[in-house]
Amino acid sequence: MEKDAQQSAKLQKMIEQLDTIIAYAQKRERKARKTLEKIHPEYQKSAVNLLHYRAFRTYDLRSLQKKLGHLGLSRMAQAQLHVLASLQKIRSILTALYHEGPIADTNSSLSFKEGRYRLNKNTKSLFGPRPTDRRTRIMVTMPSEAADDPQLVRDMLAAGMNCARVNCAHDEPSVWAKIIANIRQASRDLSRPCRVAMDLAGPKIRTGAIQAGPRVLKLKPHKDLYGKIKQPLEIWIGPEAQSGLPHLPIAPAALAGLATGEQLVLRDTRGKKRYLEIGQPGTGGYYATLRKTTFVKTGLAVYRRSKKGKQKAFEVGRLPAIEIPLLLSRGDRLRLDREARVGANASADPADRGGTPAHISCTASAIFGEVKVGERILFDDGKIEGHIRGVHRDHLNIEITQVVDGRAKLRADKGINLPDSVLSISGLTEKDKRDLVFVVEHADLVNFSFVNRPADVRELHRELKRLNARNKLGIVLKIETKNGYNQLTDILMEAMRAHPIGVMIARGDLAVESGWQNIGQEQEEILSICRAAHVTDIWATQVLEGLAKRGLPSRAEITDAVMAQRADCVMLNKGPYIVPAISLLHTILSGMEPFRDRNVPFSPKMKRL
């Protein structure tokens, strides 16, 4: 009898806890009534479920979940898709145990089945039909070469690409148009649907220009482990560069004097004699090969070899200047300038008060009135960390507090993160607005970078409405800052006024902002919030990066790719080995499909080991 009384008391307490949570969830729904009226019809129930989930997560449920597990009941670990239905069902079961009676039916506006249906439907609206062998889609960043190489695009699509990403931060509209035309053609030829997503560059804070060095180019053939040349280095000779090859610029008139098989001679910047063999002609130039490391500079003379002696063939044209990076160590001083001054290294020992510290400019002048002394500032994806020691109208004084490997090189156009600062800089830039005109005409989705607050989403909605593209273009919100993560629920409530939408977890920038120790937790929370809102999520940044760029993945990358199967879409970045990377990711995601449906683990028949 005493044991039964204790059990009844536990059951009653658990029921009371559930009643408290249910009441609070319904209260949050009532308070948001005016906001919910503005939500797109396809997201009406989803927005309510998101509010219920945030109410659900207001409480520490670990003790309750353990007790439910002891009773052999669901711990509601997968309740995100249908929060109120899960709470009510568990309450109904506990009430039946308490009264030793039948389990009463529950009546929730969003059932278990409908919650899953809505997520799948929204994902299909954003990314198109589900692939045959897997649920998770594959998004791939398109390289510039895709504009002139239709076969590369076909190979990417055949390997498993479901969505092609074109980044507006690179290239120009004429190149984007060629890439997209190749994607559409390959999709028709292979009868494989492929959505086109275009990234708006956004208001990224970056370092400005740095003092230029000499106009010198190092040409180095590949060597084996014994230092022997594996094969000659292929270069391109002509007035215009050719993608993927080192370029020796020459005047168009000099091309007429070249011939396939001809051998040219030069003395490089070190006085070393080197031979250049002219190969087959191409459009606007010639392919050529070098067999030894060669340093060339602007104006270097190249000669023909003939029986009559050396005859000048051409001079090397204007080469790009070598950038001289800022060399920074822990304890160094750095001045960040508001105006676009050319950056340079320290003129004397930075520890010397009389010396001039290294200095570099910042592309976003707005930050200078919004940062405070003591706040952190990070450069180049967090490789260099500093603290702001002085705030002035035209510059910031920074002390470098952490660098990788004792000394770091800071170059132009590197990202700057201010994780402790509350910045107003966000939303659409003027470039974004110009690019959006192209995106609306050519793409299926727009990826909106650096979303920090609901106002940013409102601005995008207004611009799309102005372009008559509201609800005609899928929207993907890139969450890459602490502010964006902290305001994600409000951002989604604003975004759900349109349909369809998605969220990209930009793990690189987010990790820099939040700290590497926090990215795992934040990644999980974003997945859960998206699941509760029935919003499609994208797992991004450095997935199979080693394979895509160097041809061989690490074990950690394989594990990361396996874990990515929980998301609706996984993004790969470009690289020389992108086709094998797509193929491997397709294999991994397809192989994991029997074991897991998003966050829900399954138990298929075990294979023999």
Side-chain angles (χ1 to χ4, degrees), residues 32 84 96 99 116 149 183 223 257 265 276 281 290 337 340 355 381 409 419 550 559 575 584:
L84 196 59
H99 293 292
R116 180 170 299 278
D149 191 349
I183 295 165
K223 298 181 180 180
V265 63
L276 184 67
L290 275 168
D337 293 318
D381 293 333
K409 296 178 179 180
R550 297 181 295 277
T559 302
L584 178 60

Side-chain angles (χ1 to χ4, degrees), residues 56-332:
F56 175 71
R57 289 294 304 279
T58 301
Y59 300 89
D60 186 341
L61 302 167
R62 289 173 294 180
S63 176
L64 175 60
Q65 289 174 312
K66 289 178 182 178
K67 292 174 183 176
L68 290 171
H70 294 156
L71 292 172
L73 302 177
S74 167
R75 299 188 183 193
M76 299 182 292
Q78 309 299 333
Q80 300 102 319
L81 286 173
H82 30 66
V83 177
L84 196 59
S86 295
L87 290 168
Q88 290 175 338
K89 178 60 71 175
I90 292 296
R91 186 193 185 282
S92 179
I93 293 171
L94 292 177
T95 302
L97 290 173
Y98 181 76
H99 293 292
E100 297 183 356
I103 300 174
D105 291 333
T106 57
N107 184 22
S108 174
S109 61
L110 183 72
S111 67
F112 290 83
K113 187 176 180 179
E114 188 181 2
R116 180 170 299 278
Y117 165 78
R118 288 195 170 277
L119 176 59
N120 292 337
K121 181 182 178 183
N122 292 335
T123 301
K124 183 178 180 180
S125 296
L126 192 68
F127 284 126
R130 169 180 168 155
T132 304
D133 301 328
R134 53 183 159 82
R135 177 191 57 81
T136 304
R137 277 69 164 181
I138 297 175
M139 177 188 291
V140 186
T141 302
M142 303 304 292
S144 302
E145 295 87 337
D148 301 312
D149 191 349
Q151 187 59 47
L152 172 62
V153 179
R154 288 173 62 91
D155 291 344
M156 294 168 73
L157 199 55
M161 177 175 70
N162 308 113
C163 179
R165 172 180 175 252
V166 178
N167 193 346
C168 293
H170 304 293
D171 300 316
E172 58 185 7
S174 62
V175 178
W176 306 337
K178 290 180 182 178
I179 293 172
I180 293 171
N182 286 338
I183 295 165
R184 303 296 192 200
Q185 186 61 51
S187 179
R188 289 190 292 270
D189 292 345
L190 299 176
S191 299
R192 287 175 177 261
C194 183
R195 295 290 167 95
V196 174
M198 295 193 71
D199 269 38
L200 299 178
K204 178 124 180 165
I205 308 170
R206 293 187 177 275
T207 54
I210 290 181
Q211 188 177 56
R215 297 183 179 276
V216 177
L217 176 64
K218 182 181 180 181
L219 301 168
K220 184 179 180 181
H222 297 293
K223 298 181 180 180
D224 62 19
L225 294 175
Y226 299 98
K228 296 179 181 180
I229 302 296
K230 294 173 66 175
Q231 61 184 24
L233 176 69
E234 186 175 47
I235 65 174
W236 173 253
I237 298 178
E240 301 295 333
Q242 187 176 94
S243 179
L245 290 178
H247 175 223
L248 276 189
I250 67 167
L255 287 173
L258 299 179
T260 300
E262 184 175 3
Q263 196 172 52
L264 306 179
V265 63
L266 60 90
R267 286 197 179 272
D268 75 357
T269 58
R270 305 164 298 169
K272 303 278 188 180
K273 184 181 282 189
R274 295 292 184 257
Y275 297 99
L276 184 67
E277 186 169 323
I278 302 299
Q280 294 298 318
T283 304
Y286 281 85
Y287 297 96
T289 54
L290 275 168
R291 294 183 176 274
K292 291 186 177 181
T293 301
T294 305
F295 289 81
V296 297
K297 66 178 181 179
T298 299
L300 186 77
V302 180
Y303 298 90
R304 282 191 175 86
R305 298 181 72 194
S306 70
K307 295 178 181 179
K308 297 179 181 179
K310 291 194 306 181
Q311 293 180 327
K312 191 171 181 179
F314 60 84
E315 287 185 355
V316 176
R318 186 179 175 84
L319 293 167
I322 294 176
E323 183 184 76
I324 302 177
L326 305 190
L327 302 178
L328 298 171
S329 301
R330 186 174 180 179
D332 285 351

Side-chain angles (χ1 to χ4, degrees), residues 530-599:
C530 288
R531 188 172 169 84
H534 309 139
V535 166
T536 306
D537 49 39
I538 301 144
W539 183 291
T541 310
Q542 294 185 325
V543 179
L544 296 180
E545 190 90 346
L547 174 55
K549 291 191 173 178
R550 297 181 295 277
L552 187 67
S554 67
R555 287 182 290 275
E557 287 177 351
I558 297 297
T559 302
D560 183 54
V562 170
M563 295 296 289
Q565 195 262 351
R566 295 175 301 157
D568 297 306
C569 180
V570 182
M571 193 189 89
L572 293 174
N573 268 322
K574 57 191 176 183
Y577 303 94
I578 187 58
V579 174
I582 297 170
S583 181
L584 178 60
L585 182 59
H586 166 74
T587 300
I588 290 172
L589 296 177
S590 301
M592 286 300 298
E593 194 73 19
F595 291 87
R596 183 179 290 273
D597 180 17
R598 198 176 171 98
N599 281 344

